[in-house]
Amino acid sequence: MTKKDNWEVPTVEYRANYPQFALFALAASAVNIAIYSRILHFDLLDDVIVLAIAAVVSTALLIYGYSNEAKKAFFKIYSANQDHFEKKGKGKTEANVLKGLKAHAKTEANNLSIFYLNSVYLLLTVVTTFYLFHNLSAPTNLLLSTAVSAGVTAFITTGSA
């Protein structure tokens, strides 16, 4: 095997896209509050402070979860697609192929983490709202169900694969 055939993969570092994560986390929090207010006939203007606290807490925890999940997925996707990009990149420089591989892995990891964690978050919100905290008042139910759902979602992402 020549040096050209045996590619040495440099250490790859993942940098989270926090503005994108913040946008999607805020959207998930807003969808959660909108659905909650429509289903349970919750008046948004009466409890603005509760809504703001719920939105800030869930957004912060979802951003943390997105970055953890994307980091785990990035390295899995990067290593799984390495052979494909090496075959596809014959005739191109090694740096360009690795740059394309890194960009592809980062985009796919970000999208996967956002889609997966939004699904988990909204499912947990429905479960906690209607089964766990159904006896509490509407503002307390919203605050606790949102915090617990976002907390469990962030906690799920801290485990190792």
Side-chain angles (χ1 to χ4, degrees):
M1 231 181 223
T2 65
K3 179 74 172 170
K4 199 173 196 177
D5 293 336
N6 187 15
W7 285 25
E8 291 184 19
V9 179
T11 57
V12 179
E13 186 176 304
Y14 174 77
R15 290 188 182 172
N17 189 355
Y18 289 110
Q20 179 187 15
F21 290 161
L23 178 69
F24 281 101
L26 194 58
S29 299
V31 165
N32 181 22
I33 291 170
I35 290 172
Y36 189 90
S37 68
R38 291 291 182 181
I39 291 175
L40 296 178
H41 307 291
F42 183 74
D43 189 15
L44 298 176
L45 296 177
D46 287 345
D47 295 305
V48 172
I49 295 173
V50 172
L51 295 175
I53 291 170
V56 167
V57 167
S58 65
T59 300
L61 288 172
L62 285 175
I63 290 171
Y64 177 73
Y66 290 157
S67 63
N68 283 345
E69 189 66 28
K71 184 183 246 185
K72 287 191 297 190
F74 173 78
F75 291 110
K76 286 181 185 176
I77 293 167
Y78 187 86
S79 61
N81 290 334
Q82 187 174 359
D83 293 335
H84 171 72
F85 271 85
E86 287 175 1
K87 292 175 187 172
K88 186 178 176 183
K90 296 230 185 222
K92 297 180 181 179
T93 63
E94 180 179 337
N96 287 342
V97 173
L98 291 176
K99 184 179 176 183
L101 174 61
K102 184 177 177 182
H104 169 74
K106 182 176 180 179
T107 302
E108 194 171 333
N110 287 346
N111 293 341
L112 175 73
S113 70
I114 289 169
F115 179 75
Y116 169 68
L117 289 181
N118 280 349
S119 302
V120 170
Y121 171 67
L122 292 175
L123 176 70
L124 285 173
T125 301
V126 168
V127 168
T128 56
T129 298
F130 295 113
Y131 294 110
L132 198 58
F133 301 125
H134 67 278
N135 290 333
L136 301 175
S137 66
T140 308
N141 187 337
L142 171 70
L143 190 60
L144 287 177
S145 65
T146 303
V148 167
S149 300
V152 169
T153 303
F155 181 72
I156 288 171
T157 64
T158 59
S160 61

